[in-house]
Amino acid sequence: MAMVRVAPVPVQVRTNRFNGLPNEITWGGDRLRITRLVAIRDERSAYPAITGPRTVYEVDTATLRLGLTFAHRSRRWAIEALDGFDQAA
């Protein structure tokens, strides 16, 4: 499957206190531990003025791959893409 763009869903994210990388996502009542950091896209250099700079992380959890976004100006995390994948594949 491919990553599917969704309307931004606000989430709470726990990060590593030393490097700032996400460790755990709280989405509604569910806690999702991040098992792997797949990719990072830093958009601090080129960004729309209305939204401000952001960093996009592609992360794996036990059941989902998520496109996780951190908006630097508002200091908020959101999920903007997701993909359910099969662990056996």
Side-chain angles (χ1 to χ4, degrees):
M1 291 179 67
M3 293 287 275
V4 177
R5 305 268 311 153
V6 296
V9 178
V11 293
Q12 292 180 339
V13 176
R14 294 185 74 179
T15 60
N16 181 305
R17 62 189 299 181
F18 298 110
N19 61 16
L21 295 175
N23 288 335
E24 181 181 83
I25 301 167
T26 303
W27 184 5
D30 297 329
R31 284 183 140 177
L32 304 170
R33 190 168 95 54
I34 294 173
T35 57
R36 185 169 75 120
L37 181 62
V38 179
I40 301 173
R41 186 172 69 233
D42 186 356
E43 298 180 350
R44 287 183 291 182
S45 301
Y47 57 87
I50 194 148
T51 59
R54 68 184 193 158
T55 303
V56 180
Y57 300 90
E58 190 171 320
V59 298
D60 283 346
T61 66
T63 56
L64 294 170
R65 178 168 286 179
L66 301 170
L68 189 60
T69 304
F70 178 69
H72 295 269
R73 185 177 292 165
S74 63
R75 303 195 52 77
R76 295 191 184 191
W77 291 89
I79 294 173
E80 291 192 351
L82 58 96
D83 177 21
F85 61 91
D86 184 7
Q87 287 291 90

